[in-house]
Amino acid sequence: MASTHSTSPLIVTAGEPAGIGPELCLALAETEWSSRLVLIADIDMLADRAEMLGKSIRLSEYKASSRRSVGELQVISQPLVNQPDCGRPDPANAASLLEGLRRAVDGCVCGEFSALVTAPLQKSAMMDAGIQFSGHTEFLAELTDTPMPVMLLTAGDLRVALASTHLPLRDVPDYLTTDKLVAVLQVLHEDLIRKFRIQDPAIVVCGLNPHAGEGGHLGAEDQEIIAPAVASCAALGMNVRGPVPADTAFMPDDSETDAILAMYHDQGLPVIKYASFGHAINVTLGLPIIRTSVDHGTALDIAGKGVADVGSLIAAIELAATLAGQ
Amino acid sequence: MASTHSTSPLIVTAGEPAGIGPELCLALAETEWSSRLVLIADIDMLADRAEMLGKSIRLSEYKASSRRSVGELQVISQPLVNQPDCGRPDPANAASLLEGLRRAVDGCVCGEFSALVTAPLQKSAMMDAGIQFSGHTEFLAELTDTPMPVMLLTAGDLRVALASTHLPLRDVPDYLTTDKLVAVLQVLHEDLIRKFRIQDPAIVVCGLNPHAGEGGHLGAEDQEIIAPAVASCAALGMNVRGPVPADTAFMPDDSETDAILAMYHDQGLPVIKYASFGHAINVTLGLPIIRTSVDHGTALDIAGKGVADVGSLIAAIELAATLAGQ
């Protein structure tokens, strides 16, 4: 965190070029944000997409010293191997996309950029290219030697972190250990303070089982795994309580809770996606950089049609800027 | 269903006498509902609770032929063994409470009452009395020989049914079978038509795993267990689709969906409890009678203090009356 400079521009990756990422980035030219960010994408691809959509947009190669003006998009061009067909991801471009991501992360680590905002990649295209890519979160953690990245979704004052992410449901109970939960809670606690500037953040920890196990009648993990983790964190001075039944943990206008830790994907995400009308923002905690992303996919079915909603990307940029102190 | 009469009164059980159930029932005297319902409780206990709360309420023994008037509460008295201390459930009263429930169900089955509304019981007091009681739903299913009761929560137009209820999370994947899901979907489909009067109800079925298994990368059950159940139901002419990732299944103002089937407790309930501000209504589908209940517990900590919110009970009564065609 020490290396970020609040006056540096934000860096935005355009994501899968056959998806909606490029057109969302082009739409940023129409916002006041355009002067405060830099894109990473193939500049020719962006120009083609703009032409396809009938948009007249000033695209220029990014130079650290140059002034950026509203309505202009500055681009670090990362050439693709093949120019994309909308809706048809090409595995040949996978390595270039990850190279762009590396360039963005390097820039954030050294302070050239204040925060990273990512448009979605297509996991299947990565895997078809023979690249092990289970998601931005894991890739960014590897790039930055982060031992415990934590996925947080935010929508207004509702913040939901996940203790496990993309695991088959049957693997969740054995994946969770007291040590892991303590590590996740420490990352969550520290980043709520450092990145969200919340003093003494109040964290509610969900149980694993219905009714948080109902005193052991509905599963032992709540008492044997989760309660000791909460106790350890409380002993470290953290403001944390639980395990709480998940169906009472999430309440609208709950001003006493700063974040809720769900034990698994479908315990936490359906609530926040419902609450945000599908406009939650994904923040990766535990990284040495600030990273936010949209909470939608590549939307291959509508790519290149100019109908994709830029609202989520703008929200992700706004949050990144706020976390960067801008 | 054929045996219900839309002009019959609703029957309301007061639930655990050491909890908030009795005072919620007393609060009904202050509503226009009082003339259209009958309580089951120990009438002396109700009189004591009214006195404790400083309420002057007309309590009378129910007689099928007598006129009920607004402000009066008619009671089928089911004597307790011990008069309760608020906040301290007494296992000695367990058998009496279940007897009251039996009386209520018998009255609904024979058409004396149009619908059953239940205040919460304290499971632990039942178990301490040596009675196997895992919940109203299971008890009512047993009383009425119902092979597949289905728990549905409603809040406005959002309806969430559960394919499994009070199971440890690690037991959920093996509990779910294609046959069970077909049976649950048939009950849900039929009762949306019969009780909710929705023609050709549109049902969305959640996946079990994150992203509904992401093509098998995150678990096999979505493709191997759930998809065949959905296909079977579609072949029977039902309007059903899935498996859908749970974090996209729940959307506010989704007028195209009549009900969502969640695979397990914490996949569905956190969303609807959040959406309803804790005022969802629980409806048991598959029974030969109409049964609704509040979606909160006995609240032993505030029992007898007169601060409990009667909103959920009124909502449960209103829905029961609507389902009964009143």
Side-chain angles (χ1 to χ4, degrees):
Chain A
M1 296 294 292
S3 61
T4 59
H5 298 276
S6 67
T7 56
S8 307
L10 289 82
I11 181 84
V12 181
T13 60
E16 168 56 51
I20 60 172
E23 65 201 83
L24 296 179
C25 288
L26 291 170
L28 296 172
E30 293 151 16
T31 71
E32 61 167 23
W33 283 108
S34 60
S35 65
R36 295 168 60 187
L37 46 83
V38 173
L39 304 183
I40 292 200
D42 181 323
I43 197 167
D44 295 331
M45 179 274 293
L46 285 178
D48 287 352
R49 194 66 48 89
E51 194 183 334
M52 179 194 292
L53 295 167
K55 282 174 186 272
S56 170
I57 290 171
R58 275 180 295 150
L59 297 166
S60 57
E61 289 271 359
Y62 167 69
K63 291 191 191 72
S65 59
S66 68
R67 264 185 66 220
R68 298 179 306 282
S69 56
V70 174
E72 175 191 12
L73 287 175
Q74 290 209 343
V75 182
I76 295 175
S77 192
Q78 178 71 43
L80 296 169
V81 172
N82 296 322
Q83 286 302 313
D85 285 337
C86 283
R88 302 180 60 172
D90 184 342
N93 289 327
S96 162
L97 297 170
L98 293 186
E99 191 50 42
L101 207 49
R102 262 187 217 103
R103 169 70 182 88
V105 170
D106 288 347
C108 289
V109 168
C110 76
E112 179 183 10
F113 304 116
S114 57
L116 169 65
V117 181
T118 57
L121 287 170
Q122 185 74 18
K123 279 181 211 174
S124 59
M126 298 290 159
M127 294 195 280
D128 289 347
I131 297 170
Q132 279 297 329
F133 181 83
S134 60
H136 275 94
T137 303
E138 296 79 1
F139 185 75
L140 297 175
E142 201 184 304
L143 278 187
T144 57
D145 286 327
T146 298
M148 181 59 80
V150 174
M151 183 173 166
L152 177 86
L153 278 101
T154 78
D157 287 339
L158 181 61
R159 298 181 194 89
V160 178
L162 298 183
S164 65
T165 53
H166 296 116
L167 279 183
L169 188 76
R170 69 167 68 239
D171 295 343
V172 168
D174 288 337
Y175 169 82
L176 297 173
T177 64
T178 299
D179 286 350
K180 255 182 214 149
L181 289 174
V182 169
V184 167
L185 282 164
Q186 283 179 313
V187 167
L188 178 57
H189 172 79
E190 284 168 20
D191 267 6
L192 287 171
I193 296 172
R194 290 198 310 169
K195 292 182 177 169
F196 285 84
R197 299 180 192 81
I198 298 169
Q199 292 202 333
D200 193 29
I203 299 172
V204 168
V205 180
C206 293
L208 176 73
N209 294 299
H211 305 183
E214 196 152 330
H217 291 291
L218 297 176
E221 298 89 348
D222 306 276
Q223 294 177 323
E224 293 177 3
I225 306 288
I226 304 175
V230 172
S232 291
C233 290
L236 293 170
M238 292 168 52
N239 181 356
V240 53
R241 70 183 176 89
V244 169
D247 60 340
T248 64
F250 304 86
M251 284 294 140
D253 306 322
D254 175 4
S255 60
E256 289 174 15
T257 301
D258 295 302
I260 297 158
L261 180 64
M263 290 297 109
Y264 54 93
H265 192 279
D266 282 1
Q267 189 183 49
L269 264 50
V271 183
I272 192 159
K273 292 208 177 179
Y274 179 91
S276 67
F277 288 76
H279 282 68
I281 306 160
N282 184 345
V283 186
T284 311
L285 304 183
L287 300 176
I289 65 173
I290 291 165
R291 183 256 172 164
T292 69
S293 81
V294 298
D295 183 31
H296 56 66
T298 51
L300 297 176
D301 52 326
I302 59 167
K305 297 183 180 167
V307 298
D309 180 356
V310 73
S312 287
L313 182 58
I314 290 176
I317 290 171
E318 285 174 346
L319 180 62
T322 301
L323 299 182
Q326 296 186 347
Chain B
M1 294 296 294
S3 60
T4 59
H5 297 276
S6 67
T7 56
S8 307
L10 288 83
I11 181 83
V12 180
T13 60
E16 168 56 51
I20 60 173
E23 64 202 83
L24 296 180
C25 288
L26 291 169
L28 295 172
E30 294 151 16
T31 70
E32 63 167 22
W33 284 109
S34 59
S35 65
R36 296 168 59 188
L37 45 84
V38 174
L39 304 182
I40 292 201
D42 182 323
I43 197 166
D44 295 331
M45 179 275 294
L46 285 178
D48 287 353
R49 194 66 49 89
E51 194 182 336
M52 178 192 294
L53 295 167
K55 284 174 185 273
S56 170
I57 290 171
R58 277 180 294 150
L59 295 165
S60 57
E61 290 270 359
Y62 166 70
K63 291 191 191 74
S65 58
S66 68
R67 264 186 65 220
R68 298 179 306 281
S69 57
V70 175
E72 174 191 12
L73 287 175
Q74 290 209 344
V75 182
I76 295 175
S77 192
Q78 178 70 43
L80 296 168
V81 173
N82 296 321
Q83 286 301 313
D85 284 338
C86 283
R88 302 179 60 171
D90 185 342
N93 290 326
S96 162
L97 296 171
L98 293 187
E99 192 50 41
L101 207 48
R102 262 187 217 104
R103 169 70 181 89
V105 170
D106 288 347
C108 289
V109 168
C110 76
E112 179 183 11
F113 305 116
S114 57
L116 169 65
V117 181
T118 57
L121 288 169
Q122 185 74 19
K123 279 181 213 177
S124 60
M126 297 289 158
M127 294 195 281
D128 289 348
I131 297 171
Q132 278 298 328
F133 182 83
S134 59
H136 275 93
T137 303
E138 295 79 0
F139 185 76
L140 298 174
E142 201 184 304
L143 278 187
T144 57
D145 285 327
T146 298
M148 182 58 80
V150 174
M151 183 173 167
L152 177 87
L153 278 100
T154 79
D157 286 338
L158 181 62
R159 299 181 193 90
V160 179
L162 298 183
S164 64
T165 54
H166 296 117
L167 278 184
L169 188 75
R170 69 167 67 239
D171 295 343
V172 168
D174 288 337
Y175 170 82
L176 297 174
T177 63
T178 299
D179 286 351
K180 255 182 214 150
L181 289 175
V182 169
V184 168
L185 282 165
Q186 282 179 314
V187 167
L188 178 57
H189 172 80
E190 282 167 21
D191 267 6
L192 287 171
I193 296 172
R194 290 198 312 170
K195 292 182 175 166
F196 285 84
R197 299 178 192 83
I198 297 169
Q199 291 202 332
D200 192 28
I203 299 172
V204 168
V205 180
C206 293
L208 176 74
N209 295 298
H211 305 184
E214 196 154 328
H217 291 292
L218 298 175
E221 297 90 348
D222 306 276
Q223 294 178 322
E224 293 176 3
I225 305 290
I226 304 174
V230 172
S232 290
C233 289
L236 292 170
M238 292 169 51
N239 181 355
V240 54
R241 69 183 176 90
V244 169
D247 61 341
T248 64
F250 304 86
M251 284 295 140
D253 305 323
D254 174 3
S255 59
E256 290 175 14
T257 301
D258 294 302
I260 297 158
L261 179 65
M263 290 298 109
Y264 54 93
H265 192 278
D266 282 1
Q267 189 183 49
L269 264 51
V271 183
I272 193 159
K273 293 209 177 177
Y274 178 92
S276 66
F277 289 76
H279 282 67
I281 307 160
N282 184 347
V283 187
T284 310
L285 305 183
L287 299 176
I289 65 172
I290 290 166
R291 182 256 172 163
T292 70
S293 82
V294 298
D295 183 31
H296 56 66
T298 52
L300 297 175
D301 52 327
I302 58 167
K305 297 182 180 168
V307 298
D309 180 356
V310 73
S312 287
L313 183 57
I314 290 176
I317 290 171
E318 285 175 347
L319 180 62
T322 301
L323 298 183
Q326 296 186 347

